[in-house]
Short mmCIF file of all heavy atoms in Angstrom, two decimals:
data_model
loop_
_atom_site.label_atom_id
_atom_site.label_comp_id
_atom_site.label_asym_id
_atom_site.label_seq_id
_atom_site.Cartn_x
_atom_site.Cartn_y
_atom_site.Cartn_z
N PHE A 217 -13.80 -1.75 21.04
CA PHE A 217 -13.17 -0.50 21.43
C PHE A 217 -11.88 -0.29 20.64
O PHE A 217 -11.20 -1.25 20.27
CB PHE A 217 -12.84 -0.50 22.92
CG PHE A 217 -14.05 -0.57 23.81
CD1 PHE A 217 -14.40 -1.75 24.44
CD2 PHE A 217 -14.84 0.55 24.02
CE1 PHE A 217 -15.50 -1.81 25.27
CE2 PHE A 217 -15.96 0.49 24.84
CZ PHE A 217 -16.28 -0.69 25.47
N ASP A 218 -11.55 0.98 20.42
CA ASP A 218 -10.27 1.38 19.85
C ASP A 218 -9.99 0.75 18.48
O ASP A 218 -8.91 0.26 18.21
CB ASP A 218 -9.13 1.06 20.82
CG ASP A 218 -9.31 1.74 22.16
OD1 ASP A 218 -10.02 2.76 22.22
OD2 ASP A 218 -8.73 1.27 23.15
N VAL A 219 -10.98 0.81 17.61
CA VAL A 219 -10.86 0.28 16.25
C VAL A 219 -10.38 1.41 15.34
O VAL A 219 -10.88 2.53 15.41
CB VAL A 219 -12.23 -0.25 15.75
CG1 VAL A 219 -12.14 -0.71 14.31
CG2 VAL A 219 -12.73 -1.34 16.66
N ARG A 220 -9.43 1.11 14.48
CA ARG A 220 -8.98 2.11 13.51
C ARG A 220 -10.06 2.26 12.43
O ARG A 220 -10.64 1.27 12.00
CB ARG A 220 -7.67 1.69 12.88
CG ARG A 220 -6.54 1.61 13.89
CD ARG A 220 -5.22 2.04 13.28
NE ARG A 220 -4.17 1.99 14.28
CZ ARG A 220 -3.82 3.02 15.04
NH1 ARG A 220 -4.46 4.14 14.93
NH2 ARG A 220 -2.86 2.90 15.92
N PRO A 221 -10.33 3.50 12.00
CA PRO A 221 -11.37 3.72 10.99
C PRO A 221 -10.96 3.14 9.64
O PRO A 221 -9.78 2.99 9.33
CB PRO A 221 -11.50 5.24 10.92
CG PRO A 221 -10.20 5.76 11.45
CD PRO A 221 -9.71 4.75 12.43
N MET A 222 -11.97 2.81 8.84
CA MET A 222 -11.73 2.27 7.50
C MET A 222 -11.21 3.35 6.56
O MET A 222 -10.43 3.06 5.67
CB MET A 222 -13.02 1.67 6.93
CG MET A 222 -13.51 0.46 7.67
SD MET A 222 -15.04 -0.20 6.99
CE MET A 222 -14.46 -0.84 5.42
N ASN A 223 -11.65 4.59 6.76
CA ASN A 223 -11.25 5.70 5.89
C ASN A 223 -10.42 6.70 6.68
O ASN A 223 -10.70 6.95 7.85
CB ASN A 223 -12.49 6.39 5.31
CG ASN A 223 -13.31 5.45 4.46
OD1 ASN A 223 -12.78 4.77 3.60
ND2 ASN A 223 -14.60 5.39 4.72
N PRO A 224 -9.43 7.29 6.04
CA PRO A 224 -8.59 8.26 6.75
C PRO A 224 -9.35 9.55 7.07
O PRO A 224 -10.38 9.85 6.47
CB PRO A 224 -7.47 8.53 5.76
CG PRO A 224 -8.04 8.21 4.42
CD PRO A 224 -9.04 7.12 4.65
N GLY A 225 -8.82 10.28 8.02
CA GLY A 225 -9.41 11.55 8.40
C GLY A 225 -10.17 11.44 9.70
O GLY A 225 -10.65 10.37 10.07
N GLY A 226 -10.25 12.53 10.41
CA GLY A 226 -10.97 12.54 11.67
C GLY A 226 -10.17 11.90 12.78
O GLY A 226 -8.99 11.61 12.64
N PRO A 227 -10.83 11.65 13.92
CA PRO A 227 -10.15 11.02 15.05
C PRO A 227 -9.57 9.66 14.69
O PRO A 227 -10.04 8.99 13.77
CB PRO A 227 -11.26 10.90 16.09
CG PRO A 227 -12.21 12.00 15.75
CD PRO A 227 -12.18 12.06 14.25
N ALA A 228 -8.55 9.26 15.42
CA ALA A 228 -7.77 8.07 15.10
C ALA A 228 -8.48 6.75 15.37
O ALA A 228 -8.17 5.74 14.73
CB ALA A 228 -6.46 8.10 15.87
N LEU A 229 -9.42 6.74 16.31
CA LEU A 229 -10.03 5.48 16.74
C LEU A 229 -11.54 5.59 16.81
O LEU A 229 -12.10 6.68 16.89
CB LEU A 229 -9.49 5.07 18.11
CG LEU A 229 -7.98 4.87 18.21
CD1 LEU A 229 -7.56 4.75 19.66
CD2 LEU A 229 -7.53 3.68 17.41
N ARG A 230 -12.19 4.43 16.80
CA ARG A 230 -13.64 4.35 16.94
C ARG A 230 -13.98 3.24 17.93
O ARG A 230 -13.25 2.25 18.05
CB ARG A 230 -14.32 4.00 15.61
CG ARG A 230 -13.94 4.84 14.42
CD ARG A 230 -14.54 6.23 14.49
NE ARG A 230 -14.43 6.94 13.23
CZ ARG A 230 -13.42 7.70 12.88
NH1 ARG A 230 -12.39 7.82 13.68
NH2 ARG A 230 -13.41 8.35 11.74
N SER A 231 -15.11 3.39 18.59
CA SER A 231 -15.65 2.33 19.43
C SER A 231 -17.11 2.16 19.06
O SER A 231 -17.79 3.13 18.71
CB SER A 231 -15.50 2.68 20.92
OG SER A 231 -14.14 2.69 21.29
N HIS A 232 -17.59 0.90 19.09
CA HIS A 232 -18.95 0.59 18.66
C HIS A 232 -19.63 -0.29 19.71
O HIS A 232 -19.08 -1.29 20.12
CB HIS A 232 -18.92 -0.16 17.32
CG HIS A 232 -18.11 0.55 16.29
ND1 HIS A 232 -16.82 0.19 15.99
CD2 HIS A 232 -18.41 1.61 15.50
CE1 HIS A 232 -16.35 1.00 15.06
NE2 HIS A 232 -17.30 1.86 14.74
N LEU A 233 -20.84 0.14 20.11
CA LEU A 233 -21.59 -0.60 21.12
C LEU A 233 -23.01 -0.81 20.62
O LEU A 233 -23.67 0.14 20.20
CB LEU A 233 -21.62 0.17 22.45
CG LEU A 233 -20.25 0.44 23.07
CD1 LEU A 233 -19.70 1.77 22.63
CD2 LEU A 233 -20.32 0.35 24.56
N ARG A 234 -23.47 -2.06 20.67
CA ARG A 234 -24.84 -2.38 20.25
C ARG A 234 -25.85 -1.74 21.19
O ARG A 234 -25.62 -1.64 22.39
CB ARG A 234 -25.07 -3.89 20.27
CG ARG A 234 -24.41 -4.60 19.13
CD ARG A 234 -24.74 -6.07 19.14
NE ARG A 234 -26.18 -6.22 18.91
CZ ARG A 234 -26.89 -7.27 19.27
NH1 ARG A 234 -26.32 -8.28 19.85
NH2 ARG A 234 -28.17 -7.33 19.02
N LEU A 235 -26.97 -1.35 20.63
CA LEU A 235 -28.07 -0.81 21.41
C LEU A 235 -29.20 -1.82 21.41
O LEU A 235 -30.28 -1.58 20.86
CB LEU A 235 -28.51 0.55 20.85
CG LEU A 235 -27.45 1.64 20.83
CD1 LEU A 235 -27.99 2.89 20.16
CD2 LEU A 235 -26.97 1.94 22.23
N GLY A 236 -28.91 -2.98 21.97
CA GLY A 236 -29.93 -4.02 22.11
C GLY A 236 -30.57 -4.45 20.80
O GLY A 236 -31.76 -4.74 20.77
N GLY A 237 -29.82 -4.46 19.72
CA GLY A 237 -30.36 -4.84 18.42
C GLY A 237 -31.14 -3.73 17.74
O GLY A 237 -31.67 -3.91 16.65
N LEU A 238 -31.19 -2.54 18.37
CA LEU A 238 -31.94 -1.41 17.81
C LEU A 238 -31.05 -0.46 17.02
O LEU A 238 -31.55 0.43 16.34
CB LEU A 238 -32.62 -0.63 18.95
CG LEU A 238 -33.57 -1.44 19.81
CD1 LEU A 238 -33.99 -0.63 21.02
CD2 LEU A 238 -34.78 -1.86 19.00
N GLY A 239 -29.76 -0.62 17.13
CA GLY A 239 -28.81 0.25 16.46
C GLY A 239 -27.45 0.12 17.10
O GLY A 239 -27.21 -0.80 17.88
N VAL A 240 -26.58 1.06 16.78
CA VAL A 240 -25.20 1.03 17.28
C VAL A 240 -24.81 2.43 17.74
O VAL A 240 -25.07 3.41 17.04
CB VAL A 240 -24.22 0.55 16.18
CG1 VAL A 240 -22.77 0.67 16.63
CG2 VAL A 240 -24.53 -0.87 15.77
N LEU A 241 -24.20 2.50 18.90
CA LEU A 241 -23.58 3.73 19.37
C LEU A 241 -22.15 3.71 18.84
O LEU A 241 -21.37 2.83 19.22
CB LEU A 241 -23.61 3.80 20.90
CG LEU A 241 -22.84 4.96 21.54
CD1 LEU A 241 -23.46 6.30 21.14
CD2 LEU A 241 -22.83 4.80 23.05
N ALA A 242 -21.81 4.64 17.95
CA ALA A 242 -20.47 4.74 17.38
C ALA A 242 -19.83 6.01 17.90
O ALA A 242 -20.39 7.10 17.76
CB ALA A 242 -20.54 4.75 15.86
N VAL A 243 -18.66 5.87 18.51
CA VAL A 243 -17.97 7.00 19.12
C VAL A 243 -16.57 7.11 18.52
O VAL A 243 -15.84 6.12 18.45
CB VAL A 243 -17.87 6.82 20.65
CG1 VAL A 243 -17.16 7.97 21.30
CG2 VAL A 243 -19.25 6.63 21.25
N ALA A 244 -16.21 8.31 18.09
CA ALA A 244 -14.87 8.58 17.55
C ALA A 244 -14.03 9.24 18.65
O ALA A 244 -14.52 10.09 19.38
CB ALA A 244 -14.97 9.48 16.34
N HIS A 245 -12.75 8.83 18.75
CA HIS A 245 -11.87 9.40 19.77
C HIS A 245 -10.42 9.30 19.31
O HIS A 245 -10.09 8.48 18.46
CB HIS A 245 -12.08 8.72 21.13
CG HIS A 245 -12.20 7.23 21.06
ND1 HIS A 245 -11.14 6.39 21.27
CD2 HIS A 245 -13.26 6.42 20.81
CE1 HIS A 245 -11.54 5.14 21.16
NE2 HIS A 245 -12.83 5.13 20.87
N ASP A 246 -9.57 10.17 19.88
CA ASP A 246 -8.17 10.25 19.46
C ASP A 246 -7.24 9.31 20.22
O ASP A 246 -6.19 8.95 19.70
CB ASP A 246 -7.65 11.68 19.60
CG ASP A 246 -8.18 12.59 18.51
OD1 ASP A 246 -8.20 12.16 17.34
OD2 ASP A 246 -8.58 13.72 18.82
N ALA A 247 -7.60 8.93 21.43
CA ALA A 247 -6.72 8.10 22.25
C ALA A 247 -7.48 6.85 22.70
O ALA A 247 -8.72 6.84 22.76
CB ALA A 247 -6.25 8.88 23.47
N SER A 248 -6.73 5.81 23.00
CA SER A 248 -7.34 4.57 23.51
C SER A 248 -8.12 4.87 24.78
O SER A 248 -7.73 5.72 25.58
CB SER A 248 -6.26 3.54 23.82
OG SER A 248 -5.65 3.11 22.64
N LEU A 249 -9.21 4.15 24.95
CA LEU A 249 -10.05 4.33 26.12
C LEU A 249 -9.56 3.45 27.27
O LEU A 249 -9.22 2.29 27.06
CB LEU A 249 -11.50 3.96 25.79
CG LEU A 249 -12.15 4.77 24.67
CD1 LEU A 249 -13.56 4.24 24.40
CD2 LEU A 249 -12.18 6.25 24.99
N ASP A 250 -9.55 4.02 28.47
CA ASP A 250 -9.17 3.21 29.63
C ASP A 250 -10.41 2.47 30.15
O ASP A 250 -11.52 2.65 29.64
CB ASP A 250 -8.53 4.07 30.73
CG ASP A 250 -9.44 5.16 31.30
OD1 ASP A 250 -10.68 4.98 31.32
OD2 ASP A 250 -8.91 6.19 31.75
N ALA A 251 -10.22 1.64 31.15
CA ALA A 251 -11.31 0.80 31.66
C ALA A 251 -12.49 1.62 32.14
O ALA A 251 -13.65 1.26 31.91
CB ALA A 251 -10.79 -0.10 32.78
N GLU A 252 -12.24 2.75 32.80
CA GLU A 252 -13.33 3.59 33.31
C GLU A 252 -14.12 4.22 32.15
O GLU A 252 -15.35 4.26 32.18
CB GLU A 252 -12.76 4.69 34.20
CG GLU A 252 -13.82 5.54 34.85
CD GLU A 252 -13.24 6.57 35.81
OE1 GLU A 252 -12.19 6.28 36.44
OE2 GLU A 252 -13.83 7.65 35.93
N GLN A 253 -13.42 4.66 31.12
CA GLN A 253 -14.10 5.25 29.96
C GLN A 253 -14.92 4.19 29.22
O GLN A 253 -16.03 4.48 28.77
CB GLN A 253 -13.08 5.88 29.02
CG GLN A 253 -12.42 7.11 29.61
CD GLN A 253 -11.21 7.55 28.83
OE1 GLN A 253 -10.40 6.73 28.39
NE2 GLN A 253 -11.07 8.85 28.65
N ARG A 254 -14.38 3.00 29.12
CA ARG A 254 -15.13 1.92 28.46
C ARG A 254 -16.40 1.59 29.25
O ARG A 254 -17.47 1.41 28.67
CB ARG A 254 -14.25 0.68 28.33
CG ARG A 254 -13.18 0.84 27.29
CD ARG A 254 -12.29 -0.38 27.20
NE ARG A 254 -11.27 -0.18 26.17
CZ ARG A 254 -10.60 -1.15 25.61
NH1 ARG A 254 -10.81 -2.41 25.96
NH2 ARG A 254 -9.72 -0.89 24.67
N ALA A 255 -16.27 1.52 30.58
CA ALA A 255 -17.44 1.23 31.42
C ALA A 255 -18.48 2.34 31.27
O ALA A 255 -19.68 2.06 31.21
CB ALA A 255 -17.01 1.07 32.87
N SER A 256 -18.04 3.58 31.19
CA SER A 256 -18.97 4.70 31.01
C SER A 256 -19.71 4.60 29.69
O SER A 256 -20.92 4.86 29.63
CB SER A 256 -18.22 6.03 31.09
OG SER A 256 -17.73 6.27 32.38
N LEU A 257 -19.01 4.23 28.62
CA LEU A 257 -19.67 4.06 27.32
C LEU A 257 -20.67 2.92 27.37
O LEU A 257 -21.76 3.01 26.79
CB LEU A 257 -18.64 3.80 26.22
CG LEU A 257 -18.07 5.01 25.53
CD1 LEU A 257 -17.08 4.58 24.43
CD2 LEU A 257 -19.14 5.89 24.93
N GLU A 258 -20.33 1.84 28.06
CA GLU A 258 -21.26 0.73 28.18
C GLU A 258 -22.52 1.14 28.95
O GLU A 258 -23.63 0.75 28.58
CB GLU A 258 -20.58 -0.47 28.83
CG GLU A 258 -19.54 -1.09 27.90
CD GLU A 258 -18.93 -2.35 28.46
OE1 GLU A 258 -19.51 -3.42 28.23
OE2 GLU A 258 -17.88 -2.25 29.12
N GLU A 259 -22.35 1.95 30.00
CA GLU A 259 -23.50 2.45 30.75
C GLU A 259 -24.35 3.36 29.86
O GLU A 259 -25.59 3.30 29.91
CB GLU A 259 -23.03 3.22 31.98
CG GLU A 259 -22.45 2.34 33.06
CD GLU A 259 -21.86 3.13 34.21
OE1 GLU A 259 -22.12 4.35 34.31
OE2 GLU A 259 -21.11 2.53 35.00
N LEU A 260 -23.71 4.20 29.06
CA LEU A 260 -24.44 5.07 28.14
C LEU A 260 -25.23 4.25 27.13
O LEU A 260 -26.39 4.54 26.86
CB LEU A 260 -23.47 6.01 27.43
CG LEU A 260 -24.08 6.99 26.43
CD1 LEU A 260 -25.05 7.93 27.11
CD2 LEU A 260 -22.98 7.76 25.72
N ALA A 261 -24.61 3.21 26.59
CA ALA A 261 -25.30 2.36 25.61
C ALA A 261 -26.50 1.65 26.26
O ALA A 261 -27.56 1.53 25.64
CB ALA A 261 -24.33 1.34 25.03
N THR A 262 -26.34 1.21 27.50
CA THR A 262 -27.46 0.57 28.20
C THR A 262 -28.59 1.56 28.42
O THR A 262 -29.77 1.24 28.20
CB THR A 262 -26.98 -0.01 29.55
OG1 THR A 262 -25.99 -1.00 29.29
CG2 THR A 262 -28.12 -0.61 30.34
N ALA A 263 -28.26 2.77 28.84
CA ALA A 263 -29.28 3.80 29.06
C ALA A 263 -29.98 4.16 27.75
O ALA A 263 -31.21 4.34 27.72
CB ALA A 263 -28.66 5.04 29.70
#
């Protein structure tokens, strides 16, 4: 969660969640994610 992008431009942060070895859910966002937002992303990745 809350990784700075390798290239400039766009939202300030990225979060990456594995999709069970099938791919990656990559989400761009401007502010750090709180615990509830992180849990929601994990639920989305599981679904």
Side-chain angles (χ1 to χ4, degrees):
F217 296 104
D218 302 337
V219 176
R220 296 216 178 268
M222 294 179 69
N223 298 312
L229 301 169
R230 309 286 193 270
S231 293
H232 308 100
L233 299 92
R234 285 184 65 203
L235 299 176
L238 302 170
V240 173
L241 173 64
V243 180
H245 44 96
D246 285 317
S248 292
L249 301 177
D250 62 29
E252 185 176 328
Q253 292 167 319
R254 288 178 179 200
S256 292
L257 271 181
E258 290 185 88
E259 289 174 14
L260 179 62
T262 298

